[in-house]
Amino acid sequence: MARFGAVIHRVFLPLLLLLVVLGACHVTPAAAAGARLSALAKALVVEASPRAGQVLHAGEDAITVTWSLNATAAAAAAGADAGYKAVKVTLCYAPASQVGRGWRKAHDDLSKDKACQFKIAQQPYDGAGKFEYTVARDVPTASYYVRAYALDASGARVAYGETAPSASFAVAGITGVTASIEVAAGVLSAFSVAALAVFLVLENKKKNK
């Protein structure tokens, strides 16, 4: 029995370790590298309603976004969009708002891209689409542009389009100080001044007695 255990230890344990190592090292090509923006066809035309430089307020103002297949691109040849199943639209930090902020940096490897963090909408692909998006309350103050991705049946990004990053618009984020807080702060400040004045008057009277 001890000899049988030794055989298992010498033969099967190394084999098991080898299988574990091989399994860990085996990575399919799709998983080894994320999709690259430079490799995607720029097959969508994307437009957004804000003018270049316009300031929108988070939680209040809305953006109208339209997208369609780029009819002039080579990718728009008959049937080229047959694999497009959905369109995902995102709000992206403009280059000016990426400077000095590594957590906002754009990257050609989309698995590492941090510029397009805010999902606006996702719609079934039907050649064209239009919708209105109210800027979410958690969108911070910065300059933005809009990008749309065409997705295949697996959800992988296979094409894209975007508004011009150089014609970005701005969003004024919510600071967390609401009108009610400002009013309360003003009342407390006034009360503090009045209390201080009363205290000084009383102290002055005590001294004069």
Side-chain angles (χ1 to χ4, degrees), residues 125-201:
Y125 179 81
D126 194 26
K130 181 179 181 179
F131 62 91
E132 188 172 271
Y133 161 75
T134 299
V135 181
R137 295 174 59 86
D138 61 346
V139 174
T141 299
S143 296
Y144 296 90
Y145 65 99
V146 177
R147 178 183 291 171
Y149 293 105
L151 311 179
D152 63 13
S154 69
R157 291 165 284 203
V158 292
Y160 81 105
E162 61 189 19
T163 60
S166 59
S168 61
F169 54 90
V171 169
I174 295 175
T175 62
V177 180
T178 62
S180 57
I181 293 177
E182 291 179 346
V183 170
V187 171
L188 288 173
S189 296
F191 176 79
S192 299
V193 172
L196 179 61
V198 171
F199 174 77
L200 292 175
V201 169

Side-chain angles (χ1 to χ4, degrees), residues 7-197:
V7 170
I8 292 178
H9 180 76
R10 285 184 300 173
V11 177
F12 290 99
L13 184 58
L15 180 60
L16 179 61
L17 290 174
L18 179 61
L19 290 174
V20 170
V21 171
L22 289 175
C25 293
H26 178 71
V27 181
T28 61
R36 292 191 173 274
L37 185 67
S38 58
L40 302 184
K42 197 169 185 179
L44 301 178
V45 175
V46 181
E47 296 180 351
S49 56
R51 303 181 306 276
Q54 182 177 348
V55 179
L56 306 178
H57 293 85
E60 299 179 14
D61 295 327
I63 301 171
T64 300
V65 178
T66 59
W67 60 267
S68 60
L69 186 65
N70 186 352
T72 62
D81 61 341
Y84 300 172
K85 301 303 179 183
V87 170
K88 177 183 176 181
V89 185
T90 59
L91 196 61
C92 308
Y93 288 111
S97 291
Q98 297 177 25
V99 177
R101 297 175 174 88
W103 61 93
R104 297 180 178 181
K105 282 290 185 182
H107 202 289
D108 188 49
D109 183 345
L110 295 178
S111 66
K112 300 177 182 179
D113 180 70
K114 299 176 182 178
C116 301
Q117 299 182 17
F118 304 97
K119 179 180 176 181
I120 294 178
Q122 184 166 320
Q123 301 178 317
Y125 179 81
D126 194 26
K130 181 179 181 179
F131 62 91
E132 188 172 271
Y133 161 75
T134 299
V135 181
R137 295 174 59 86
D138 61 346
V139 174
T141 299
S143 296
Y144 296 90
Y145 65 99
V146 177
R147 178 183 291 171
Y149 293 105
L151 311 179
D152 63 13
S154 69
R157 291 165 284 203
V158 292
Y160 81 105
E162 61 189 19
T163 60
S166 59
S168 61
F169 54 90
V171 169
I174 295 175
T175 62
V177 180
T178 62
S180 57
I181 293 177
E182 291 179 346
V183 170
V187 171
L188 288 173
S189 296
F191 176 79
S192 299
V193 172
L196 179 61

